[in-house]
Amino acid sequence: MDKQEIFGVRAIIECIEANQNLEKVYLLKDQRSPLFKQLENLLREKKVAHSYVPIERLDRFSNKNHQGAVATISPISYANLETLIEEVLAVNNTPIFLLLDNITDTRNLGAIIRSASATGVSGIILPQTGSARINSDTIKTSAGALFTVPIAKVDHLKDAIYLLQAHDIAPVAITEKAADTVYEKDLQKPVALIMGSEERGISRGILNIVNEKAKLPMEGAIASLNVAVACGTVLYEIIRQRKFS
């Protein structure tokens, strides 16, 4: 499934008003028309991710007649996080949620989604900015699993963590900075795993508000695992603890 692109200020306004799943909007810098201002206000009101770019960036899109605005449409519908948590807890008292911080590679994201589907993850939570886009590469790498796991996008992962804690779902950060390994951690309770990229890891601000941390033991010369591999390993440790211990 290739990404869809919408060109032109008026067309993007109509998409937002029709509640289409806009992934991101790219706006030409220094535009001053009333219609452009209307679009900016609508983007802020609806909390649609957007950025201001030079003309060269917009010209990379397939249609050069962009009129200073291009939007990309997500191939999926995102869930409302609070509604998702409540619906999950109504049928599952030990859910697994997955929060992804600084995961910017689309194929890694697809592989993580595939593992999440295979291990019964109840929902994946992504930040509005700083996350890989869900596109045809993500769908292909997930082997279709993208359509089987609910995905929510939030302005800030910290807010998602506080919301999960309010519902007695314990956030657990997977980080090499932890003292305990995942094999020493009780993962049979409701948990929200937090994973970061192998390059940047989990943001310091998030680590500061999470009490529980765990790591995967590293015995060889390589200092870190690919995040998709690490995520799958931790998810299957949860399965082992819950069903085979």
Side-chain angles (χ1 to χ4, degrees):
M1 180 185 299
D2 292 327
K3 64 183 179 182
Q4 291 181 273
E5 297 168 354
I6 303 297
F7 300 90
V9 175
R10 192 174 298 279
I12 296 172
I13 288 174
E14 290 173 355
C15 282
I16 297 172
E17 291 177 340
N19 295 316
Q20 295 292 316
N21 297 307
L22 293 188
E23 186 173 70
K24 188 164 184 179
V25 178
Y26 300 86
L27 304 172
L28 184 61
K29 292 179 178 179
D30 302 322
Q31 296 296 288
R32 296 285 183 266
S33 72
L35 193 62
F36 199 89
K37 196 67 177 178
Q38 180 184 342
L39 173 58
E40 289 179 309
N41 292 337
L42 199 56
L43 290 170
R44 286 190 287 267
E45 177 188 340
K46 299 294 185 179
K47 297 183 178 180
V48 178
H50 60 282
S51 62
Y52 295 88
V53 297
I55 189 71
E56 292 81 8
R57 176 65 182 88
L58 293 180
D59 285 344
R60 294 181 202 163
F61 289 98
S62 58
N63 187 340
K64 298 293 196 302
N65 188 25
H66 45 67
Q67 300 173 332
V70 178
T72 54
I73 296 182
S74 172
I76 66 164
S77 297
Y78 292 103
N80 174 275
L81 180 56
E82 189 161 9
T83 301
L84 175 61
I85 293 171
E86 291 172 355
E87 290 176 350
V88 167
L89 289 176
V91 296
N92 183 356
N93 59 8
T94 55
I96 306 168
F97 285 91
L98 190 55
L99 293 88
L100 303 181
D101 184 34
N102 293 322
I103 309 298
T104 57
D105 185 273
T106 55
R107 291 182 176 85
N108 272 341
L109 178 58
I112 289 170
I113 293 170
R114 187 173 184 176
S115 294
S117 179
T119 53
V121 168
S122 296
I124 296 172
I125 304 165
L126 305 174
Q128 284 282 5
T129 58
S131 175
R133 294 172 56 192
I134 292 178
N135 58 18
S136 56
D137 284 339
T138 316
I139 296 168
K140 183 177 181 180
T141 311
S142 77
L146 179 68
F147 302 107
T148 68
V149 183
I151 298 178
K153 272 196 169 185
V154 294
D155 290 336
H156 305 288
L157 286 182
K158 283 184 179 181
D159 294 335
I161 290 169
Y162 292 136
L163 182 60
L164 289 160
Q165 289 174 321
H167 287 84
D168 296 322
I169 300 169
V172 179
I174 306 304
T175 170
E176 74 279 1
K177 298 179 176 65
D180 298 328
T181 70
V182 294
Y183 307 112
E184 301 167 285
K185 185 69 63 176
D186 176 13
L187 300 173
Q188 299 188 56
K189 59 192 174 184
V191 294
L193 293 182
I194 307 169
M195 304 294 303
S197 69
E198 57 263 36
E199 295 87 6
R200 297 175 58 189
I202 299 171
S203 304
R204 182 179 298 177
I206 290 178
L207 288 176
N208 287 341
I209 66 169
V210 175
N211 292 326
E212 293 195 68
K213 302 175 180 69
K215 65 182 177 182
L216 286 167
M218 301 296 296
E219 301 294 335
I222 300 300
S224 66
L225 290 172
N226 170 274
V227 64
V229 173
C231 187
T233 302
V234 179
L235 288 172
Y236 272 100
E237 170 59 14
I238 296 177
I239 300 300
R240 186 198 69 77
Q241 288 190 20
R242 294 182 177 187
K243 295 191 175 182
F244 301 101
S245 60

